[in-house]
Amino acid sequence: MKLLCVCGLGQGTSLILRMNVEQVLSELGIAADVEHTDVSTASSMDADFIVTNKELADSLAGVNAKIIIVNNYFDRVEIKNALEENLK
C-alpha cells in the first residue's frame, strides 16, 4: 500500500504529515510506503491513498487514489481517526 502526504509545496508541512502518518500506521500495525510531495506532483503519481487537507483535495479531484482529509497535520488523533476510517 502506498500513501502520499501532500501539501502545497511538498516540503515542510507534508514532511511533518508524513512523519505523523508513519507513526500512526506503526501504532496500528499497518505496513505502508509513505512519501511526501507537493500537490501538482501528487496528481501524476501512483498511490493508493493521498492524505491532505480539504483545500488541496479539491485540486486532486481527478486522481485514482482515495483521498483522506486531515485538517490538522500535527494532530495525531485526527490522523489516526481518518486513517482508521479509510483504511478498513
Side-chain angles (χ1 to χ4, degrees):
M1 170 173 37
K2 182 172 181 178
L3 284 87
L4 293 178
C5 297
V6 176
C7 72
L9 298 175
Q11 296 181 6
T13 310
S14 62
L15 177 59
I16 291 166
L17 178 59
R18 174 186 169 185
M19 291 186 309
N20 286 328
V21 165
E22 288 175 329
Q23 184 173 4
V24 168
L25 290 172
S26 177
E27 291 169 7
L28 296 172
I30 299 172
D33 177 24
V34 184
E35 295 182 29
H36 68 281
T37 190
D38 65 279
V39 68
S40 60
T41 303
S43 63
S44 64
M45 293 179 70
D46 288 329
D48 300 302
F49 298 93
I50 294 176
V51 184
T52 193
N53 63 34
K54 173 67 176 139
E55 179 183 308
L56 295 177
D58 293 340
S59 301
L60 296 165
V63 299
N64 291 328
K66 182 172 183 177
I67 297 177
I68 300 173
I69 304 296
V70 173
N71 294 307
N72 184 343
Y73 290 4
F74 297 91
D75 185 348
R76 283 197 296 260
V77 172
E78 179 186 359
I79 294 167
K80 182 178 181 181
N81 291 337
L83 291 176
E84 284 180 321
E85 182 178 316
N86 287 281
L87 298 181
K88 291 180 181 177

